Amino acid sequence: MCGRYRLTAKERYIAEHFGVDEAEVHWSARYNLAPTQEVAVIRQDRKEPKRHFSLMRWGLIPYWSKDASIAARTINAMAETVAEKPTFRDAVRKNRCLIPADGFYEWKKLGAKEKQPYNIGMRDDGLFAFAGLWDRWKTPGGDIWETCSVITTDANSLLQPIHTRMPVILKPEDYDSWLDPGIQDPVRVEDLLKPFDAQRMKIYPLSSRVSNVNNDDPECIREVPPAAEAAPMLF
């Protein structure tokens, strides 16, 4: 799964990488993004081939939902079932987006109570994009919320020792296809929802600081020596 990540790049680099107008990009470095928070999203205009930067709440609420409680269960959508699940099937046809990041976090279980957090990203520490979905929901009070979800797939060889799942990371050359509002058959984009090339990525251990969502600073991504795994109990 993907339940925590970071986007620390400067606004001009986000604009350049994703081909959006820099004037639209309003973002300050975030080192510990978590569900329910506002995150950056890139989507394409339905009337012209132009990309736009937006802010959305992380945790998708489908337009037909009666309340917002569903968002706690929709921070991720599984690639294998996204086209079938009622929560996501309309979004994968009509509301696909990119969710910019420059790293994400996963925790490896070391013992009964101890876990080691890891930072995962590109070898060059560059920007990349999760395959995302978004929707627009009207609250009982009449406010409009735009919300999003990160699609996940099987872990690649880099992540397998830590977790069975990973976010779908799209290649830049596939951004256009994923965003294209003219493609409404999920079959035409399902080949994009695969594990990213492990050789283009890197991973390193972090301190437990990143485990606390209230910590959001450069210390969250400082590399530390890996903790020792607990020895198995002998009977």
Side-chain angles (χ1 to χ4, degrees):
M1 64 173 293
C2 177
R4 207 80 66 77
Y5 72 100
R6 63 183 171 96
L7 177 58
T8 65
K10 294 183 181 299
E11 293 173 338
R12 66 177 182 274
Y13 296 135
I14 296 173
E16 179 181 352
H17 181 88
F18 292 103
V20 298
D21 186 341
E22 186 176 344
E24 290 187 3
V25 182
H26 301 288
W27 188 257
S28 297
R30 292 294 309 279
Y31 293 85
N32 204 356
L33 287 160
T36 75
Q37 295 179 355
E38 277 196 332
V39 299
V41 169
I42 307 295
R43 52 186 168 175
Q44 185 165 310
D45 195 296
R46 296 188 187 279
K47 297 181 180 180
E48 58 180 323
K50 184 178 181 180
R51 298 177 188 171
H52 296 284
F53 177 95
S54 301
L55 295 176
M56 298 187 185
R57 294 172 186 247
W58 185 10
L60 188 141
I61 306 173
Y63 66 90
W64 45 258
S65 183
K66 294 182 179 180
D67 59 62
S69 62
I70 193 173
R73 307 188 301 276
T74 59
I75 64 169
N76 293 151
M78 294 182 66
E80 298 87 342
T81 60
V82 69
E84 304 162 7
K85 293 281 188 179
T87 303
F88 303 114
R89 64 189 178 196
D90 287 336
V92 77
R93 288 169 170 77
K94 302 176 182 179
N95 295 335
R96 297 186 300 271
C97 63
L98 306 175
I99 300 179
D102 44 32
F104 64 97
Y105 307 126
E106 196 53 77
W107 282 256
K108 180 180 182 180
K109 189 174 182 179
L110 302 179
K113 296 182 179 181
E114 187 177 4
K115 293 182 179 181
Q116 171 77 65
Y118 283 85
N119 176 84
I120 305 103
M122 298 296 109
R123 282 193 172 275
D124 63 358
D125 293 313
L127 279 161
F128 56 90
F130 301 136
L133 305 173
W134 69 275
D135 213 331
R136 185 178 287 118
W137 180 69
K138 189 174 182 179
T139 72
D143 295 328
I144 301 299
W145 288 8
E146 290 188 327
T147 61
C148 62
S149 180
V150 174
I151 300 178
T152 66
T153 186
D154 290 331
N156 62 19
S157 58
L158 185 73
L159 270 291
Q160 285 171 0
I162 298 174
H163 204 279
T164 59
R165 307 288 295 178
M166 69 177 294
V168 172
I169 297 173
L170 297 171
K171 300 175 184 176
E173 57 265 34
D174 292 329
Y175 292 174
D176 283 340
S177 295
W178 181 250
L179 291 176
D180 188 347
I183 298 177
Q184 296 194 4
D185 183 351
V187 173
R188 294 179 59 187
V189 292
E190 65 181 8
D191 285 347
L192 304 181
L193 305 181
K194 295 181 178 180
F196 196 77
D197 184 359
Q199 295 186 352
R200 296 174 60 182
M201 302 177 70
K202 70 177 181 180
I203 185 171
Y204 62 82
L206 303 170
S207 73
S208 60
R209 181 173 181 77
V210 74
S211 300
N212 185 337
V213 70
N214 293 317
N215 296 326
D216 188 6
D217 54 53
E219 279 298 300
C220 288
I221 62 171
R222 182 172 60 85
E223 184 173 0
V224 301
E229 295 193 36
M233 296 182 67
L234 301 177
F235 296 93

